[in-house]
Amino acid sequence: MGTHAKLSRRLGAFAVFLFLMVAVLGFRLVDFQVVRAAEIQEQSLETRKITQTMSSLRGDILDSSGQVLAKTVFRYDVNVAPKRVGPVFQTIDGVRTERSVDEIAMDLSQLLGIDYGELILKLEGDSEYSNLAKTVNAEIFNAIRDMNVPWVFFDQFEDRLYPMGAVAGNVLGFVGSDGTPLAGLERQYNTCLAGIDGQETYERSAEGVRIPSSNRTAQPTENGGALNLTIDANLQFFAQQVLADTVNNLSAEWASAIVLDVETGKILAAAEAPTVDPNDPAAVEGADRGSRIFQAAFEPGSIMKALSAAMVLDTGTADEFDTVTAPDRMQLDFDNEYIKDSFSHEDFTLSLAGVLRYSSNTGMTNFASQIDRKVRHDYLQKFGFGSVSPLMFEGESSGILHPVAEWDEMTNLVTTFGQGISVTSLQMAYAYQAIANGGVRLDPLLVESCLNEDGTVAYAPTQHATRVVSTASANLDLELMEKVVEFGGVGKTAAIPGYRVAGKTGTAELKDGSGYGEEYAISFYGIAPAEDPKFVVGITIYKPEGVSNSSKATPPFKAIMQQALKHYRIPPSTTESRSVPSNKYGEVDEND
Amino acid sequence: MSVYMVSEKDAKKLKPSLMAGLIFVLGIVAVLIGQISLNMVLTQDAYQLRSLTIEKRNLATDVQIIQEEVSSLSSPQNLADAANMLGMVANPASVMIDIDNDKIFGEPAPARADGSEVASANLVANSALGTVSEFSMATVASGELEVSVETANLASSGLVLQSGLIPASPTR
């Protein structure tokens, strides 16, 4: 075989080998680039892709003027890696300095308020994690971060801050340490307040550096909405101050004050004492962490008489001049039962205004018992008793209004002056709002709206109006209630100079087993200015020590109503009240 | 496939030129330099982005600190305590003046620190209070304050109201 032939054969073999190699590589190329392209690309992306969750912020809760009642802030847990603890070298102004572990520990113990010896123990060991302090604020976090200690690291988390503390704490509710809403509006309106966490992916290079423009938002972060309340934080604080003082002075179990805007049904203040500071709910008893205005039902007693009087007028059973005989004790013709007034007196001849002025149980019974019990029951329902309000506040009580078929003879009579029925402070306030608003009861409002982050309305409550009594009856009832404040023994102390005030006292004996004991719930519910009502203020003081009449309920009423009138710049009344028969002889009082 | 045998002279002619090789190598170098430059720019952007993100986060933390301070200072609890420290006393006996009709509604009465149904100092809990108003001799001249309160009391005790009329100003 010649050299040429040998060379040609080798070259031929090489060409075949080359062709095979190209074929194999081509095959692999097609396999990688076409057949398994998507799969390989995905595998590659998996190694580069980082997915991170972007926490959404829980929305604020604001009062009627935009003051923040609840907001989300960041808090920090401060941790160290004991394994890496050592002196820190820093170059300040070109000078390399060393900070010893002791020096750093001293600074940390001062910033965190931890005993130095205790802190040093936490720095010892061979682990990668040791917690130094939990829930430190941003100021301390900043100070520690600025120390630039490489073995100190932080866990950031969201926390709820209530800048005004216990102001409206009873209605705001609170959240748990993990951010779960546990009570009040925080829980009821969680759908509005809670945001939706976002998810973002990005790619990073082999060196671990984030590749710009590789960001992909899988789920956009949606922060929670802002919950706007009808509560006026300034008035609420004032009312809570007054109630705290009242509860202290009277050693009462609790007290509540509600302020309603007559024309809108908005709750401007729902104050209680004692109450909860949502920043630290564990500081008070469990019973004080809710809102008694919505949740506690009690027998209202004589404050109910103003509503019974409205029924008497609306049904045409009597007018302002009609009178009844009102003995201090009235024997009933069944079961040897009797009804008596709160004080001994000769037989009075009382008009409806007189019944309110003297708060006569017998007089009210004689007027209102002329109305069919079914009709009265219907009125009570229209006033809003026996059912929860449209607010649906969590744990809200419906009170107790028995079906009329279950009313025995005694219940039929005593409901006219507020026994045999239980109500919440809220229910009584909006029943008075109906009288103040020309007989039309408006659904109470506590939440004005929930606004999304972009300002669009996510939720706004719908409000219904219910006509309970005629405008004429309501207005006349208001005039009768004015006589309580003008001439009533206790009622007079609720008078506010410059304003016409209508109201009614209530001293409800509290049930003690099967009968009534020596403890009371005292109340005053009032409306001002009577000629053009703007506010209803309802005060209830539960179990004040050694108090058996409502004289202690009028000073807080007066203070809060006066503050509301002043705060909202309501001009003083320019008219006098009309003369209406109200004395014990069924005549116009000589001073009227 | 054909293989040709050429003379040494012809083979030299077929030798690739140096220039072409140089252009080829330079081309490769240029591409590599371009790639490195692009990589550097991208990486630099990434570091800048990270630095700006950190700055933004730090500023947000500063904003939160300041907002918490403002919230604490403007909370009604702090204002009530501050007013109390300044010697201010809530006066429930507010008086309305009807300018049109020259009438005064209500009984003007000096505020009393005790026995009032309106508490002066804060009674409403707030464990979120951090920064609170502080008064030192530098910010409040307490000596002068006492004098001025006393003067105010003297002035109010000298106020004489006649049949509800607004008292005439002595400067009028």
Side-chain angles (χ1 to χ4, degrees), chain A residues 484-553:
Chain A
V484 174
V485 181
E486 288 175 21
F487 302 112
V490 170
K492 270 194 284 198
T493 56
I496 299 173
Y499 293 92
R500 286 171 56 184
V501 178
K504 184 67 193 84
T505 54
T507 310
E509 294 166 274
L510 296 175
K511 287 244 176 174
D512 177 15
S514 57
Y516 288 94
E518 293 298 311
E519 290 182 309
Y520 299 87
I522 62 171
S523 311
F524 192 88
Y525 278 68
I527 296 158
E531 77 283 9
D532 181 18
K534 297 292 182 198
F535 305 112
V536 171
V537 173
I539 305 288
T540 301
I541 304 170
Y542 199 75
K543 293 187 181 178
E545 252 179 37
V547 177
S548 57
N549 67 45
S550 52
S551 61
K552 299 293 181 190

Side-chain angles (χ1 to χ4, degrees), chain B residues 24-104:
Chain B
F24 180 73
V25 171
L26 282 176
I28 289 176
V29 169
V31 167
L32 284 175
I33 289 173
Q35 194 187 3
I36 288 170
S37 307
L38 191 67
N39 201 10
M40 276 170 66
V41 170
L42 290 179
T43 310
Q44 193 56 40
D45 280 353
Y47 282 120
Q48 195 182 355
L49 194 68
R50 183 177 152 72
S51 147
L52 288 173
T53 306
I54 290 171
E55 192 182 340
K56 183 183 164 193
R57 200 178 56 201
N58 292 348
L59 287 172
T61 308
D62 291 346
V63 168
Q64 184 188 311
I65 291 169
I66 294 164
Q67 276 179 344
E68 279 189 50
E69 272 178 28
V70 172
S71 295
S72 182
L73 287 168
S74 63
S75 70
Q77 288 89 348
N78 177 57
L79 294 178
D81 280 338
N84 198 36
M85 273 193 283
L86 285 170
M88 296 169 79
V89 178
N91 188 352
S94 64
V95 175
M96 306 288 290
I97 303 173
D98 182 348
I99 295 170
D100 290 341
N101 300 306
D102 250 18
K103 281 185 78 177
I104 288 181

Side-chain angles (χ1 to χ4, degrees), chain A residues 270-475:
Chain A
E272 295 177 29
T275 189
V276 61
D277 174 0
N279 295 302
D280 185 16
V284 296
E285 298 288 324
D288 296 331
R289 289 180 206 152
S291 181
R292 294 183 171 100
I293 285 173
F294 303 90
Q295 295 164 336
F298 57 95
E299 276 197 342
S302 297
I303 43 176
M304 183 61 87
K305 286 176 185 152
L307 308 180
S308 296
M311 297 179 207
V312 170
L313 294 171
D314 201 51
T315 51
T317 307
D319 61 22
E320 66 195 90
F321 302 106
D322 290 327
T323 58
V324 292
T325 302
D328 60 354
R329 187 178 191 280
M330 186 164 74
Q331 190 64 42
L332 302 174
D333 55 6
F334 55 84
D335 300 338
N336 204 25
E337 294 278 9
Y338 62 89
I339 287 172
K340 66 182 184 70
D341 281 351
S342 61
F343 62 102
S344 299
H345 59 80
E346 76 273 25
D347 285 3
F348 287 168
T349 301
L350 296 179
S351 64
L352 262 180
V355 166
L356 298 180
R357 170 178 166 176
Y358 293 101
S359 198
S360 170
N361 295 338
T362 58
M364 193 76 255
T365 305
N366 285 337
F367 268 120
S369 62
Q370 296 173 50
I371 309 170
D372 180 71
R373 63 175 73 184
K374 173 80 174 64
V375 174
R376 275 192 286 118
H377 189 274
D378 288 348
Y379 271 115
L380 289 171
Q381 280 186 320
K382 279 197 279 185
F383 272 120
F385 299 119
S387 55
V388 295
S389 76
L391 296 178
M392 304 286 282
F393 192 84
E394 62 160 22
E396 185 177 330
S397 168
S398 61
I400 299 171
L401 174 62
H402 293 295
V404 69
E406 291 176 18
W407 280 11
D408 59 18
E409 288 304 314
M410 199 61 186
T411 306
N412 176 38
L413 299 179
V414 298
T415 46
T416 63
F417 52 87
Q419 290 184 358
I421 178 174
S422 74
V423 307
T424 61
S425 300
L426 173 71
Q427 287 175 333
M428 191 50 84
Y430 59 64
Y432 269 63
Q433 183 271 338
I435 301 294
N437 192 38
V440 177
R441 180 171 67 80
L442 298 174
D443 286 348
L445 296 177
L446 181 60
V447 170
E448 186 104 55
S449 64
C450 170
L451 296 184
N452 291 324
E453 210 181 4
D454 59 5
T456 53
V457 178
Y459 164 80
T462 47
Q463 190 181 38
H464 297 100
T466 310
R467 173 154 300 279
V468 184
V469 295
S470 69
T471 307
S473 305
N475 292 346

Side-chain angles (χ1 to χ4, degrees), chain A residues 182-195:
Chain A
L182 297 177
L185 296 176
E186 287 273 27
R187 185 152 75 176
Q188 190 181 351
Y189 286 91
N190 189 44
T191 318
C192 159
L193 292 164

